[in-house]
Amino acid sequence: MRELKRLWTWRTKADSQTANVELKGDLPAHIAIIMDGNGRWANRRGLPRIAGHRAGMTTVREVIRACDDLGIQILTLYAFSTENWKRPEFEVEYLMRLPEEFFRSEMDELALRGVRVRFIGDTTKLPEYTQETVRRSLERTRDNQGMIVNFALNYGGRADVVQAVQKYAEEVAAGRSSWAQFDEPALSAHLSTGSTHDPDLVIRTSGEMRLSNFLIWQAAYAELWFTDVLWPDFRRETLIEAIQDYGRRKRRFGGLK
Ligand code: IPE
Ligand code: IPE
Ligand code: MG
């Protein structure tokens, strides 16, 4: 774990001024975010829910930039859950078209930053046009060496555990693995997050205090951070606040400090 006592400097988009912030304590290697509250953000403005999803996309851009500037290694964003199919068809279709638009406008900058885009969840059930975007963005960022950004699309923690066990069972049937060797690291390795570092910090916006089936296995020892801020209103400063709080937490993992 890296001890962090550095002075971070960045340029703010709005006024091109340089802002300084001192982050004390450990920096989370992996931040996972449940981006919630788009609908309520729109409702409060008398706008349709999809206007909230559009505004939320701007926040995604800002948060990726901020995480990269701060030296976060992995960012996982919950964009669409296995339960979100229950929403009206119109809203689901709108959400499914957003990745295409997002990557069209952001790919150049992501490439410049060396970001590796990945997807978790069952992307084979997404509409063909969304799958095309998934394929293209994976392809375009495959050789990058920078921060990993995981987009959770049609992701459910329980479904992830089930598919991991199924995959393992197939390996056993093929004689490549054995049940005697099936343990926690083996299950972890077969999840859609693979052997990547578990999330250190899980952030949820909009005041809801639940995981909603997000990374239920991987977040077993994550620090949880909740804010009433709605996702479209979430800013770099909100992220810094979360990271600073994280730096003050004592992680014991069941032991004694
Ligand atoms: C989060 O915002 C985005 C997705 C779940 C896709 P919501 O759409 O859940 O917004 P609220 O919770 O209704 O305000
Ligand atoms: C969780 O938010 C899913 C995403 C952010 C993609 P929801 O708005 O779907 O969760 P619930 O229904 O409030 O639990
Ligand atoms: Mg919600």
Side-chain angles (χ1 to χ4, degrees):
M1 195 60 75
R2 288 171 303 157
E3 179 66 17
L4 192 102
K5 280 204 171 64
R6 263 199 278 170
L7 193 67
W8 296 102
T9 306
W10 75 83
R11 230 158 227 291
T12 58
K13 242 190 325 166
D15 56 13
S16 285
Q17 290 217 325
T18 309
N20 295 318
V21 68
E22 198 176 357
L23 290 176
K24 289 207 173 75
D26 285 332
L27 188 69
H30 182 175
I31 297 180
I33 308 183
I34 302 170
M35 312 183 286
D36 200 11
N38 294 350
R40 279 163 281 170
W41 182 92
N43 267 340
R44 285 177 199 176
R45 285 165 176 73
L47 298 168
R49 291 178 53 83
I50 58 167
H53 297 315
R54 164 157 297 275
M57 201 168 73
T58 309
T59 308
V60 170
R61 175 198 300 143
E62 180 164 349
V63 166
I64 291 175
R65 284 178 177 161
C67 283
D68 189 37
D69 292 348
L70 293 168
I72 303 302
Q73 294 165 37
I74 309 170
L75 172 67
T76 301
L77 299 169
Y78 204 9
F80 193 90
S81 77
T82 47
E83 288 72 40
N84 288 146
W85 296 107
K86 295 175 194 160
R87 296 189 179 197
E89 205 180 312
F90 169 73
E91 181 172 344
V92 170
E93 170 158 359
Y94 188 84
L95 287 166
M96 289 299 153
R97 297 234 175 239
L98 277 183
E100 184 185 346
E101 193 180 330
F102 179 77
F103 288 111
R104 201 182 324 115
S105 74
E106 298 309 307
M107 191 44 87
D108 288 347
E109 180 172 344
L110 294 177
L112 211 64
R113 287 178 178 270
V115 165
R116 280 172 280 181
V117 173
R118 292 183 183 168
F119 296 88
I120 59 170
D122 186 0
T123 56
T124 67
K125 301 289 188 313
L126 302 175
E128 184 47 44
Y129 52 83
T130 318
Q131 289 192 49
E132 180 58 28
T133 301
V134 166
R135 278 192 294 271
R136 264 190 288 113
S137 30
L138 279 173
E139 171 72 21
R140 275 215 50 196
T141 64
R142 202 177 42 198
D143 298 327
N144 290 353
Q145 297 296 318
M147 178 171 71
I148 292 172
V149 180
N150 286 318
F151 287 89
L153 269 185
N154 190 24
Y155 180 85
R158 290 180 172 183
D160 200 7
V161 172
V162 169
Q163 72 73 32
V165 175
Q166 282 172 342
K167 220 188 318 173
Y168 196 86
E170 281 163 23
E171 289 177 17
V172 172
R176 282 181 277 119
S177 302
S178 79
W179 287 116
Q181 287 164 327
F182 188 65
D183 55 8
E184 292 182 12
L187 179 61
S188 292
H190 289 75
L191 291 169
S192 55
T193 37
S195 306
T196 49
H197 190 91
D198 282 340
D200 300 294
L201 172 62
V202 173
I203 295 174
R204 183 170 189 150
T205 57
S206 87
E208 309 295 354
M209 298 194 191
R210 53 177 172 263
L211 288 176
S212 298
N213 204 11
F214 187 45
L215 302 176
I216 51 167
W217 170 278
Q218 299 90 328
Y221 261 105
E223 294 298 322
L224 308 179
W225 194 84
F226 300 102
T227 175
D228 286 339
V229 171
L230 304 175
W231 179 247
D233 292 328
F234 192 92
R235 292 286 168 274
R236 189 182 278 259
E237 290 69 24
T238 336
L239 179 75
I240 303 261
E241 202 187 317
I243 293 174
Q244 280 174 330
D245 274 355
Y246 172 86
R248 287 189 285 267
R249 304 261 182 105
K250 299 268 176 286
R251 302 184 81 187
R252 284 183 288 274
F253 299 98
L256 302 173
K257 202 86 181 177

